[in-house]
């Protein structure tokens, strides 16, 4: 099984500042057949289901603000919130969909400093 | 508007069985891979199982393989999860998820399953 490891577990960032979340997979999730990374990022607010933010490691889902961006390839990935807003307080999960079983990272809680 | 509505959750004793249902609307259900994801209280997300558009392929996480069965009825736009030999560690909110391929685009609000005596 592919293990997804996120860091940090939590972070506190001032409004308007940058937040960076890292995710590492235990093996490459880059497909040689289509040169795509099978990596997604989700945002989950309390009492709500997760919301898809990013897929294919860097493609923003429709309607997601452009302050959210994803980067990385192979085994190392990053979610960046360029200018943290109050509504961004949430837990963020990385997730691979490369092969079964699909797995999620442990989550990163983002708070306002 | 895409809607996924789960039902069937509740309190069940260890060793018992439960069947979850998910009713889909607002998209062409038969074109989507469908998935169950769960979240134990205060914990992270765990992928449980998924099923191909025509039901010909199914995959499970090891911890439920042999105890849970995922199925679908495209004529009824419905997804199911038959759960048996339930354990305390199966206690979670179970989400119904629809996806373009294996990308989890759309999520239901979830249904809570509690396994306790």
């Amino acid at each position: 099984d592919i293990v997804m490891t996120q860091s940090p577990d939590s972070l506190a960032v001032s409004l308007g500042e940058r937040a960076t979340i890292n995710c590492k997979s235990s093996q490459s999730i880059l497909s040689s057949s289509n040169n795509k990374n099978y990596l997604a990022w989700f945002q989950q607010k309390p009492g709500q289901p997760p919301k898809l933010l990013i897929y294919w490691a860097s493609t923003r889902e429709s309607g997601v603000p452009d302050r959210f961006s994803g980067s990385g390839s192979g085994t190392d990935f990053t979610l960046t919130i360029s200018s943290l807003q109050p509504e961004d307080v949430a837990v963020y999960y990385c997730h691979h969909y490369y092969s079964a079983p699909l797995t999620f990272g442990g989550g990163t809680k983002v708070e306002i400093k | 508007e895409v809607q996924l509505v789960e039902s069937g959750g509740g309190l069940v004793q260890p060793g018992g069985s439960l069947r979850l249902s998910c009713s889909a609307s607002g998209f062409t259900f038969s074109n989507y891979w469908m998935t169950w994801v769960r979240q134990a209280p205060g914990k992270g997300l765990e992928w449980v199982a998924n099923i191909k558009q025509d039901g010909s392929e199914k995959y499970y996480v090891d911890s439920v393989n042999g105890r849970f069965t995922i199925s679908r009825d495209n004529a009824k736009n419905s997804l199911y999860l038959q759960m048996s030999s339930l354990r305390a560690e199966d206690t979670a909110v179970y989400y119904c998820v629809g996806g373009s391929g294996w990308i989890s685009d759309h999520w239901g609000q979830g249904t809570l399953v509690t396994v306790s005596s």
Side-chain angles (χ1 to χ4, degrees):
Chain A
D1 298 3
I2 298 174
V3 177
M4 307 299 290
T5 303
Q6 281 183 241
S7 62
D9 292 336
S10 65
L11 75 161
V13 176
S14 301
L15 288 174
E17 296 299 304
R18 179 185 300 259
T20 302
I21 300 169
N22 299 302
C23 176
K24 188 174 184 68
S25 57
S26 60
Q27 65 187 72
S28 177
I29 53 176
L30 171 63
S31 171
S32 57
S33 63
N34 60 10
N35 202 36
K36 289 186 174 183
N37 289 282
Y38 285 61
L39 190 282
W41 288 97
F42 292 89
Q43 175 194 64
Q44 187 177 33
K45 298 180 180 179
Q48 296 184 19
K51 173 188 174 184
L52 177 65
L53 297 177
I54 303 280
Y55 56 96
W56 299 129
S58 60
T59 301
R60 206 177 296 115
E61 174 74 329
S62 176
V64 173
D66 60 7
R67 63 180 180 273
F68 291 93
S69 64
S71 62
S73 184
T75 61
D76 293 280
F77 302 91
T78 300
L79 175 69
T80 302
I81 309 172
S82 60
S83 175
L84 193 73
Q85 301 301 304
E87 60 268 30
D88 301 335
V89 170
V91 179
Y92 293 83
Y93 295 93
C94 63
H95 167 63
H96 89 82
Y97 47 97
Y98 184 80
S99 61
L102 286 66
T103 55
F104 291 86
T108 297
K109 187 173 185 179
V110 174
E111 300 172 308
I112 306 294
K113 184 187 293 182
Chain B
E1 180 193 2
V2 172
Q3 274 205 312
L4 294 166
V5 180
E6 302 92 339
S7 60
L11 176 64
V12 60
Q13 291 190 337
S17 298
L18 209 57
R19 189 196 197 206
L20 305 183
S21 300
C22 171
S23 178
S25 61
F27 66 104
T28 305
F29 180 76
S30 59
N31 287 352
Y32 276 62
W33 276 84
M34 295 299 297
T35 300
W36 289 99
V37 174
R38 67 184 179 183
Q39 186 169 35
K43 301 298 184 182
L45 301 169
E46 182 180 35
W47 178 88
V48 174
N50 67 358
I51 184 169
K52 194 176 180 179
Q53 289 90 333
D54 61 0
S56 62
E57 293 180 33
K58 305 175 185 181
Y59 300 94
Y60 300 90
V61 68
D62 282 350
S63 60
V64 309
N65 201 13
R67 299 189 299 122
F68 290 11
T69 301
I70 189 171
S71 62
R72 65 191 296 162
D73 186 335
N74 288 342
K76 295 183 178 180
N77 288 342
S78 294
L79 176 71
Y80 307 101
L81 187 67
Q82 178 67 48
M83 305 184 295
S84 60
S85 302
L86 283 161
R87 307 166 180 166
E89 53 266 35
D90 295 318
T91 294
V93 172
Y94 284 73
Y95 293 104
C96 170
V97 186
S100 308
W102 281 8
I103 299 170
S104 299
D105 300 80
H106 307 293
W107 295 64
Q109 291 297 312
T111 186
L112 176 63
V113 172
T114 302
V115 183
S116 175
S117 55

